Protein backbone atom coordinates (compact mmCIF):
# COMPACT_ATOMS: atom_id res chain seq x y z
CA UNK A 1 0.00 0.00 0.00
CA UNK A 2 2.86 2.35 0.78
CA UNK A 3 4.30 1.45 -2.60
CA UNK A 4 1.03 2.50 -4.28
CA UNK A 5 0.84 5.86 -2.53
CA UNK A 6 4.48 6.57 -3.30
CA UNK A 7 4.51 5.39 -6.93
CA UNK A 8 0.83 5.52 -7.97
CA UNK A 9 1.31 8.31 -10.52
CA UNK A 10 4.33 6.54 -12.02
CA UNK A 11 2.38 3.29 -12.35
CA UNK A 12 -0.50 5.16 -14.02
CA UNK A 13 1.96 6.66 -16.50
CA UNK A 14 3.20 3.21 -17.50
CA UNK A 15 -0.36 1.84 -17.82
CA UNK A 16 -1.61 4.71 -19.99
CA UNK A 17 1.60 4.93 -22.02
CA UNK A 18 1.25 1.21 -22.85
CA UNK A 19 -2.42 1.74 -23.78
CA UNK A 20 -1.55 4.73 -25.98
CA UNK A 21 1.18 2.79 -27.79
CA UNK A 22 -1.08 -0.26 -28.24
CA UNK A 23 -3.79 1.98 -29.73
CA UNK A 24 -1.30 3.64 -32.06
CA UNK A 25 0.00 0.25 -33.27
CA UNK A 26 -3.62 -0.75 -33.88
CA UNK A 27 -4.24 2.37 -35.99
CA UNK A 28 -1.26 1.63 -38.22
CA UNK A 29 -1.75 -2.14 -38.60
CA UNK A 30 -5.50 -2.95 -38.44
CA UNK A 31 -7.16 -3.74 -41.74
CA UNK A 32 -10.67 -2.44 -41.03
CA UNK A 33 -10.64 1.39 -40.62
CA UNK A 34 -13.53 1.08 -38.15
CA UNK A 35 -11.36 -0.96 -35.78
CA UNK A 36 -8.56 1.51 -36.45
CA UNK A 37 -10.80 4.40 -35.39
CA UNK A 38 -11.75 2.67 -32.12
CA UNK A 39 -8.06 1.93 -31.56
CA UNK A 40 -7.34 5.63 -32.13
CA UNK A 41 -9.99 6.46 -29.52
CA UNK A 42 -8.05 4.33 -26.98
CA UNK A 43 -4.93 6.39 -27.76
CA UNK A 44 -6.80 9.71 -27.42
CA UNK A 45 -8.26 8.80 -24.02
CA UNK A 46 -4.91 7.48 -22.73
CA UNK A 47 -3.19 10.69 -23.82
CA UNK A 48 -5.90 12.67 -21.99
CA UNK A 49 -5.04 10.70 -18.84
CA UNK A 50 -1.35 11.48 -19.35
CA UNK A 51 -2.25 15.20 -19.58
CA UNK A 52 -4.01 14.92 -16.22
CA UNK A 53 -0.86 13.34 -14.74
CA UNK A 54 1.18 16.39 -15.89
CA UNK A 55 -1.09 19.01 -14.26
CA UNK A 56 -2.84 19.89 -17.52
CA UNK A 57 -6.39 19.33 -16.32
CA UNK A 58 -8.03 21.71 -18.79
CA UNK A 59 -6.13 20.20 -21.71
CA UNK A 60 -7.09 16.68 -20.59
CA UNK A 61 -10.78 17.55 -20.72
CA UNK A 62 -10.37 19.42 -24.02
CA UNK A 63 -8.58 16.36 -25.41
CA UNK A 64 -11.57 14.15 -24.51
CA UNK A 65 -14.11 16.67 -25.90
CA UNK A 66 -12.36 17.61 -29.14
CA UNK A 67 -10.51 14.40 -30.04
CA UNK A 68 -12.62 11.76 -28.31
CA UNK A 69 -15.85 13.56 -29.20
CA UNK A 70 -15.60 15.77 -32.28
CA UNK A 71 -12.81 14.33 -34.39
CA UNK A 72 -13.72 10.72 -33.57
CA UNK A 73 -17.35 11.30 -34.61
CA UNK A 74 -16.12 12.87 -37.88
CA UNK A 75 -13.98 9.81 -38.61
CA UNK A 76 -16.71 7.29 -37.75
CA UNK A 77 -19.25 9.27 -39.81
CA UNK A 78 -17.00 9.26 -42.88
CA UNK A 79 -16.08 5.57 -42.48
CA UNK A 80 -19.76 4.65 -42.39
CA UNK A 81 -20.57 7.04 -45.25
CA UNK A 82 -18.05 5.54 -47.68
CA UNK A 83 -19.24 1.99 -46.80
CA UNK A 84 -15.96 0.14 -47.14
CA UNK A 85 -17.50 -3.33 -47.31
CA UNK A 86 -17.59 -2.98 -51.07
CA UNK A 87 -13.92 -1.99 -51.20
CA UNK A 88 -11.68 -4.98 -50.39
CA UNK A 89 -8.24 -3.63 -49.58
CA UNK A 90 -6.13 -6.35 -51.15
CA UNK A 91 -2.81 -5.07 -49.91
CA UNK A 92 -2.76 -3.12 -46.69
CA UNK A 93 0.54 -1.33 -47.25
CA UNK A 94 1.54 0.45 -50.44
CA UNK A 95 4.66 -0.05 -52.53
CA UNK A 96 6.51 2.64 -50.59
CA UNK A 97 6.44 0.58 -47.37
CA UNK A 98 10.18 -0.34 -47.42
CA UNK A 99 11.08 3.34 -47.77
CA UNK A 100 8.68 4.19 -44.92
CA UNK A 101 10.25 1.48 -42.73
CA UNK A 102 13.73 2.84 -43.46
CA UNK A 103 12.51 6.33 -42.55
CA UNK A 104 11.01 5.06 -39.27
CA UNK A 105 14.19 3.17 -38.32
CA UNK A 106 16.31 6.21 -39.17
CA UNK A 107 14.08 8.34 -36.92
CA UNK A 108 14.39 5.72 -34.15
CA UNK A 109 18.20 5.72 -34.35
CA UNK A 110 18.50 9.51 -34.65
CA UNK A 111 16.26 10.39 -31.70
CA UNK A 112 17.30 7.32 -29.68
CA UNK A 113 20.84 8.65 -29.79
CA UNK A 114 19.70 11.95 -28.28
CA UNK A 115 17.57 10.24 -25.64
CA UNK A 116 20.65 8.41 -24.36
CA UNK A 117 22.36 11.77 -23.84
CA UNK A 118 19.67 14.04 -22.36
CA UNK A 119 18.81 13.99 -18.68
CA UNK A 120 15.98 15.84 -16.93
CA UNK A 121 15.85 16.23 -13.18
CA UNK A 122 12.66 14.76 -11.69
CA UNK A 123 10.10 17.43 -10.78
CA UNK A 124 9.63 16.92 -7.04
CA UNK A 125 6.79 19.35 -6.23
CA UNK A 126 3.94 20.04 -8.70
CA UNK A 127 4.70 23.36 -10.43
CA UNK A 128 2.57 26.16 -8.97
CA UNK A 129 2.56 28.21 -12.19
CA UNK A 130 0.33 25.58 -13.84
CA UNK A 131 -2.53 25.91 -11.37
CA UNK A 132 -2.41 29.52 -10.09
CA UNK A 133 -4.91 30.79 -7.54
CA UNK A 134 -8.08 29.60 -9.30
CA UNK A 135 -6.97 26.27 -10.69
CA UNK A 136 -5.58 25.20 -14.04
CA UNK A 137 -8.54 26.28 -16.27
CA UNK A 138 -8.40 29.83 -14.89
CA UNK A 139 -4.65 30.04 -15.40
CA UNK A 140 -4.99 28.80 -19.00
CA UNK A 141 -7.86 31.21 -19.67
CA UNK A 142 -5.95 34.21 -18.30
CA UNK A 143 -2.95 33.38 -20.47
CA UNK A 144 -5.14 32.67 -23.52
CA UNK A 145 -7.18 35.90 -23.34
CA UNK A 146 -4.41 38.24 -22.22
CA UNK A 147 -0.96 37.27 -23.50
CA UNK A 148 -2.08 35.08 -26.42
CA UNK A 149 -5.06 37.13 -27.62
CA UNK A 150 -3.83 37.64 -31.20
CA UNK A 151 -3.04 33.92 -31.81
CA UNK A 152 -6.45 33.12 -30.31
CA UNK A 153 -8.21 35.40 -32.81
CA UNK A 154 -6.13 33.99 -35.68
CA UNK A 155 -7.13 30.48 -34.56
CA UNK A 156 -10.80 31.45 -34.69
CA UNK A 157 -10.40 32.81 -38.23
CA UNK A 158 -8.55 29.60 -39.13
CA UNK A 159 -11.47 27.53 -37.84
CA UNK A 160 -13.89 29.61 -39.92
CA UNK A 161 -11.78 29.04 -43.04
CA UNK A 162 -11.57 25.29 -42.31
CA UNK A 163 -15.35 25.12 -41.84
CA UNK A 164 -16.07 26.94 -45.11
CA UNK A 165 -13.49 24.74 -46.88
CA UNK A 166 -15.03 21.54 -45.54
CA UNK A 167 -18.51 22.66 -46.64
CA UNK A 168 -17.29 23.58 -50.13
CA UNK A 169 -15.37 20.30 -50.53
CA UNK A 170 -18.28 18.19 -49.33
CA UNK A 171 -20.88 19.93 -51.51
CA UNK A 172 -22.59 17.94 -54.26
CA UNK A 173 -22.13 19.31 -57.74
CA UNK B 1 14.93 4.62 -13.01
CA UNK B 2 11.36 3.75 -12.02
CA UNK B 3 10.33 7.34 -11.30
CA UNK B 4 8.73 8.98 -14.33
CA UNK B 5 10.63 12.00 -15.65
CA UNK B 6 10.19 14.22 -18.69
CA UNK B 7 12.38 11.82 -20.66
CA UNK B 8 9.72 9.09 -20.33
CA UNK B 9 7.14 11.42 -21.84
CA UNK B 10 9.52 12.41 -24.63
CA UNK B 11 10.21 8.75 -25.47
CA UNK B 12 6.48 7.93 -25.53
CA UNK B 13 5.75 10.98 -27.67
CA UNK B 14 8.59 10.06 -30.04
CA UNK B 15 7.32 6.46 -30.42
CA UNK B 16 3.82 7.75 -31.23
CA UNK B 17 5.37 10.20 -33.72
CA UNK B 18 7.35 7.44 -35.45
CA UNK B 19 4.27 5.20 -35.67
CA UNK B 20 2.29 8.12 -37.13
CA UNK B 21 4.97 8.93 -39.72
CA UNK B 22 5.16 5.26 -40.70
CA UNK B 23 1.37 5.11 -41.02
CA UNK B 24 1.28 8.24 -43.20
CA UNK B 25 4.04 6.96 -45.47
CA UNK B 26 3.10 3.28 -45.74
CA UNK B 27 -0.68 2.86 -45.60
CA UNK B 28 -2.80 2.93 -48.73
CA UNK B 29 -6.17 3.80 -47.22
CA UNK B 30 -6.65 7.57 -46.94
CA UNK B 31 -8.77 7.23 -43.76
CA UNK B 32 -5.89 5.48 -41.99
CA UNK B 33 -3.44 8.11 -43.28
CA UNK B 34 -5.59 10.87 -41.75
CA UNK B 35 -5.77 8.96 -38.45
CA UNK B 36 -1.96 8.63 -38.47
CA UNK B 37 -1.66 12.41 -38.88
CA UNK B 38 -3.78 12.75 -35.74
CA UNK B 39 -1.27 10.49 -33.96
CA UNK B 40 1.59 12.79 -34.97
CA UNK B 41 -0.26 15.91 -33.75
CA UNK B 42 -1.09 14.18 -30.46
CA UNK B 43 2.56 13.28 -29.89
CA UNK B 44 3.48 16.95 -30.33
CA UNK B 45 0.94 17.82 -27.62
CA UNK B 46 2.49 15.29 -25.22
CA UNK B 47 5.86 16.98 -25.75
CA UNK B 48 4.42 20.44 -25.09
CA UNK B 49 2.66 19.32 -21.91
CA UNK B 50 5.74 17.47 -20.60
CA UNK B 51 7.98 20.51 -21.09
CA UNK B 52 5.32 22.80 -19.62
CA UNK B 53 5.44 20.67 -16.44
CA UNK B 54 9.22 20.42 -16.41
CA UNK B 55 9.77 24.18 -16.84
CA UNK B 56 6.71 25.21 -14.79
CA UNK B 57 5.57 27.40 -17.67
CA UNK B 58 1.96 27.64 -18.80
CA UNK B 59 2.81 28.62 -22.39
CA UNK B 60 3.20 24.99 -23.47
CA UNK B 61 -0.37 24.21 -22.42
CA UNK B 62 -1.75 27.27 -24.21
CA UNK B 63 0.22 26.40 -27.34
CA UNK B 64 -1.18 22.88 -27.38
CA UNK B 65 -4.69 24.39 -27.52
CA UNK B 66 -3.67 25.89 -30.86
CA UNK B 67 -2.31 22.50 -31.95
CA UNK B 68 -5.69 20.95 -31.16
CA UNK B 69 -7.39 23.73 -33.16
CA UNK B 70 -5.21 23.00 -36.18
CA UNK B 71 -5.85 19.25 -35.77
CA UNK B 72 -9.61 19.84 -35.78
CA UNK B 73 -9.41 21.99 -38.92
CA UNK B 74 -7.13 19.45 -40.60
CA UNK B 75 -9.51 16.60 -39.83
CA UNK B 76 -12.51 18.52 -41.21
CA UNK B 77 -10.79 19.55 -44.45
CA UNK B 78 -9.05 16.18 -44.89
CA UNK B 79 -12.29 14.25 -44.52
CA UNK B 80 -13.96 16.72 -46.92
CA UNK B 81 -11.27 15.92 -49.49
CA UNK B 82 -11.81 12.20 -48.77
CA UNK B 83 -15.54 12.49 -49.47
CA UNK B 84 -14.85 14.44 -52.68
CA UNK B 85 -12.41 11.71 -53.77
CA UNK B 86 -14.96 9.02 -52.96
CA UNK B 87 -17.65 10.78 -55.01
CA UNK B 88 -15.25 11.04 -57.95
CA UNK B 89 -13.59 7.60 -57.95
CA UNK B 90 -15.63 5.38 -55.59
CA UNK B 91 -12.47 4.58 -53.63
CA UNK B 92 -10.45 5.70 -50.62
CA UNK B 93 -7.25 3.94 -51.79
CA UNK B 94 -4.65 6.62 -52.45
CA UNK B 95 -2.91 4.62 -55.22
CA UNK B 96 -6.08 4.84 -57.29
CA UNK B 97 -6.28 8.65 -57.11
CA UNK B 98 -4.46 9.15 -60.43
CA UNK B 99 -6.50 11.97 -61.99
CA UNK B 100 -3.41 14.05 -62.72
CA UNK B 101 -1.39 11.21 -64.25
CA UNK B 102 -0.83 11.86 -67.97
Amino acid sequence: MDFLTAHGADLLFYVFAALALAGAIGVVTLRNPMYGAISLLVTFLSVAALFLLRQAEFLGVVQIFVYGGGIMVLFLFVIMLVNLHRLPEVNLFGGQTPAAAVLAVALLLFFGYFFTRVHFDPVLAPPSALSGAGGNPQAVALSLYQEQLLPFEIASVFLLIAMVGAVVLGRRR
Amino acid sequence: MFAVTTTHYLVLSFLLFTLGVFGVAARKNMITVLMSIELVLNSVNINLIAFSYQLSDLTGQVFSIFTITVAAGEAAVGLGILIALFRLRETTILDQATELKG
Side-chain angles (χ1 to χ4, degrees), chain A:
Chain A
M1 207 60 211
D2 291 338
F3 180 79
L4 272 187
T5 40
H7 298 291
D10 295 341
L11 280 176
L12 281 176
F13 169 81
Y14 288 113
V15 168
F16 285 116
L19 274 174
L21 276 179
I25 290 171
V27 170
V28 178
T29 55
L30 284 174
R31 175 171 293 270
N32 189 336
M34 183 62 87
Y35 297 156
I38 300 302
S39 185
L40 186 65
L41 181 61
V42 171
T43 301
F44 285 163
L45 295 180
S46 311
V47 170
L50 293 177
F51 286 178
L52 294 183
L53 287 175
R54 287 280 110 156
Q55 306 287 318
E57 290 94 359
F58 181 70
L59 257 295
V61 175
V62 165
Q63 167 92 2
I64 293 174
F65 281 178
V66 175
Y67 278 106
I71 293 180
M72 189 48 58
V73 166
L74 259 182
F75 273 112
L76 292 178
F77 170 73
V78 168
I79 290 170
M80 291 176 189
L81 188 74
V82 299
N83 190 12
L84 290 162
H85 299 297
R86 294 184 287 115
L87 306 168
E89 194 178 359
V90 227
N91 201 350
L92 211 56
F93 296 101
Q96 66 276 28
T97 304
V102 168
L103 177 67
V105 170
L107 274 173
L108 277 176
L109 292 177
F110 183 70
F111 283 104
Y113 172 71
F114 285 108
F115 283 132
T116 58
R117 299 178 70 92
V118 296
H119 173 75
F120 291 102
D121 293 327
V123 182
L124 297 176
S128 58
L130 299 187
S131 55
N136 177 256
Q138 193 189 47
V140 171
L142 285 176
S143 174
L144 194 60
Y145 290 114
Q146 286 173 357
E147 298 152 42
Q148 318 282 344
L149 188 60
L150 181 65
F152 179 77
E153 296 294 337
I154 293 173
S156 66
V157 174
F158 168 82
L159 277 179
L160 176 70
I161 295 169
M163 190 180 73
V164 172
V167 168
V168 169
L169 282 168
R171 194 184 47 178
R172 281 181 200 280
R173 295 178 198 55

Side-chain angles (χ1 to χ4, degrees), chain B residues 5-27:
Chain B
T5 60
T6 302
T7 315
H8 290 71
Y9 279 83
L10 296 189
V11 169
L12 169 71
S13 141
F14 158 65
L15 288 175
L16 286 180
F17 181 85
T18 312
L19 275 167
V21 167
F22 179 76
V24 168
R27 286 294 295 255

Side-chain angles (χ1 to χ4, degrees), chain B residues 9-93:
Chain B
Y9 279 83
L10 296 189
V11 169
L12 169 71
S13 141
F14 158 65
L15 288 175
L16 286 180
F17 181 85
T18 312
L19 275 167
V21 167
F22 179 76
V24 168
R27 286 294 295 255
K28 274 167 132 182
N29 195 331
M30 186 172 167
I31 297 175
T32 310
V33 169
L34 286 175
M35 291 197 286
S36 301
I37 294 175
E38 298 297 332
L39 279 183
V40 171
L41 291 168
N42 239 308
S43 78
V44 172
N45 274 349
I46 295 177
N47 254 358
L48 287 169
I49 297 287
F51 276 118
S52 157
Y53 187 83
Q54 174 78 36
L55 304 174
S56 184
D57 188 343
L58 202 62
T59 315
Q61 293 193 9
V62 177
F63 195 87
S64 60
I65 291 179
F66 297 123
T67 315
I68 290 177
T69 311
V70 172
E74 175 266 326
V77 173
L79 291 169
I81 293 172
L82 178 67
I83 288 179
L85 173 69
F86 185 76
R87 289 222 178 98
L88 193 67
R89 300 296 293 258
E90 289 281 312
T91 184
T92 61
I93 309 296

